[in-house]
Amino acid sequence: MQDRWRMVRCGWCRSLYLDPRPDAASLPAAYATYYTHQSADENERRTGVVPGLINGYLNWRFRMSRQPASRLGIWAFKLLPPLRKKLDVYGRHIPRLMCGRGTRLLDVGCGSGAFLLRAQEMGIQASGCEPDPRAVEACRSQGLDVIQGDVFAPELDSEKFDIVTLNHVIEHVYDPLALLGRIHGRMTPGGILWVALPNPGALGLILFAQGWKGLHPPFHLLIPSQRLLISWLRETGFVDVRLVRRGCQSPGLWRESAQIAEREKLVRPRTLRVLVRILGDILSTVSTRWCEETILTARKSKG
């Protein structure tokens, strides 16, 4: 029999949380085959007109050197905001001026290192921390600098980073405020924090209900609302907190939500799914409210 989990929405801040939670001793076992711990495939490159346009934009935006590349991609994606914003998410909105300048980056919960490889392409000195030993082994086999452990690992006590990224991590931890406080202490003055996580106000949750992939129990302990997350960041000392519009939604998240809904017999007409997804892409280009993901950036004060 499969376990059944209960997600509750807070009536004040609109966050979602798991009640009851699995205990801290049993949850790590569930991560043994977690999907982010599969081998990274960042070295796989496609050829053709569209990949050339994409590479042309990425090379300009993040100072990469991917081939084949066409500079027409710069102008093509400037004219297509939903797609341009999606590519900016691929590079985690790292400022162009911080690429190729010896910038130090820490990816917290780096999995098998896909983004670390990407950051290296940008000329960034990229490191990671990851609790899962098999994921760490996969990273190190690719020559990546990864600590086995979380951001509280003693190896990081004397380290400072210009950029810290948290991609779908904060919803997994027992004490998000402690996590953000530790990160703040490990950043250089003026450093940038980038955070992405499921949005509990997403259109996909309205459409798929308990079939929405973003719920993901028992792994997601608390999915904070945008309002709550902003308050956490300010409480832990971050400034210049900004929500970022995502553009086109993650196709994987949407596809898996549809698969879960079908498995659970939560039938949604295909036409409705397509229309809601198109609407979501449009709204996510002009607003942050209905995105499938919440994405924020913040800075550590220079003072």
Side-chain angles (χ1 to χ4, degrees):
M1 179 182 294
Q2 292 184 340
D3 291 333
R4 299 189 68 84
W5 302 94
R6 179 171 176 259
M7 299 293 288
V8 180
R9 186 183 292 277
C10 174
W12 175 74
C13 69
R14 309 304 294 166
S15 301
L16 295 169
Y17 60 94
L18 194 62
D19 183 30
R21 289 183 175 187
D23 62 75
S26 62
L27 186 59
Y31 284 91
T33 57
Y34 202 59
Y35 70 98
T36 61
H37 297 171
Q38 299 169 1
S39 297
D41 59 354
E42 288 293 298
N43 292 323
E44 181 181 345
R45 299 286 181 256
R46 296 179 180 179
T47 60
V49 175
V50 174
L53 293 172
I54 292 173
N55 289 342
Y57 178 79
L58 293 175
N59 290 350
W60 169 79
R61 173 65 178 79
F62 298 108
R63 298 190 177 186
M64 294 178 167
S65 300
R66 293 189 171 185
Q67 296 297 326
S70 169
R71 289 186 62 83
L72 291 175
I74 301 171
W75 308 107
F77 288 105
K78 281 186 174 183
L79 295 171
L80 297 168
L83 297 177
R84 183 185 75 245
K85 291 179 184 297
K86 182 179 180 179
L87 290 178
D88 290 344
V89 173
Y90 181 75
R92 299 192 181 175
H93 300 95
I94 293 176
R96 188 170 185 272
L97 291 176
M98 297 186 75
C99 299
R101 296 185 56 183
T103 298
R104 294 201 68 199
L105 177 146
L106 177 68
D107 187 22
V108 178
C110 63
S112 294
F115 180 70
L116 295 179
L117 292 172
R118 211 175 299 160
Q120 287 184 345
E121 288 188 80
M122 302 177 196
I124 290 171
Q125 185 181 340
S127 304
C129 58
E130 168 58 51
D132 186 79
R134 280 183 281 189
V136 172
E137 183 180 355
C139 288
R140 291 176 177 172
S141 70
Q142 300 173 89
L144 297 171
D145 176 23
V146 175
I147 293 168
Q148 183 177 333
D150 58 23
V151 74
F152 294 95
E155 295 94 323
L156 295 174
D157 286 349
S158 60
E159 299 292 334
K160 293 288 186 178
F161 298 93
D162 305 301
I163 301 173
V164 177
T165 61
L166 285 167
N167 187 49
H168 288 257
V169 170
I170 201 166
E171 65 270 28
H172 294 259
V173 303
Y174 277 84
D175 191 342
L177 277 173
L179 173 76
L180 292 173
R182 168 68 168 178
I183 289 171
H184 187 272
R186 302 274 53 81
M187 294 178 67
T188 57
I192 296 173
L193 173 66
W194 184 93
V195 183
L197 66 158
N199 174 20
L203 282 181
L205 177 56
I206 298 172
L207 177 66
F208 295 114
Q210 63 264 39
W212 186 55
K213 170 67 173 177
L215 296 176
H216 201 38
F219 301 99
H220 292 178
L221 305 177
L222 166 62
I223 308 174
S225 64
Q226 295 173 355
R227 172 185 175 183
L228 181 60
L229 185 54
I230 289 171
S231 72
W232 283 350
L233 290 166
R234 290 173 175 163
E235 184 177 343
T236 49
F238 287 96
V239 298
D240 195 21
V241 181
R242 300 183 181 184
L243 289 162
V244 181
R245 290 171 288 173
R246 196 198 190 286
C248 288
Q249 306 296 306
S250 166
L253 193 154
W254 195 266
R255 181 174 58 252
E256 289 188 54
S257 294
Q259 291 172 349
I260 295 170
E262 290 177 5
R263 185 189 69 202
E264 298 298 319
K265 296 181 171 44
L266 305 170
V267 179
R268 301 291 184 269
R270 177 176 175 80
T271 301
L272 178 62
R273 295 204 311 260
V274 171
L275 290 175
V276 172
R277 181 173 177 182
I278 293 171
L279 177 62
D281 287 346
I282 294 171
L283 291 176
S284 297
T285 303
V286 299
S287 172
T288 59
R289 181 175 179 181
W290 305 104
C291 296
E292 295 302 294
E293 292 177 286
T294 293
I295 300 176
L296 299 96
T297 61
R299 289 183 178 270
K300 180 174 180 176
S301 173
K302 293 181 180 180

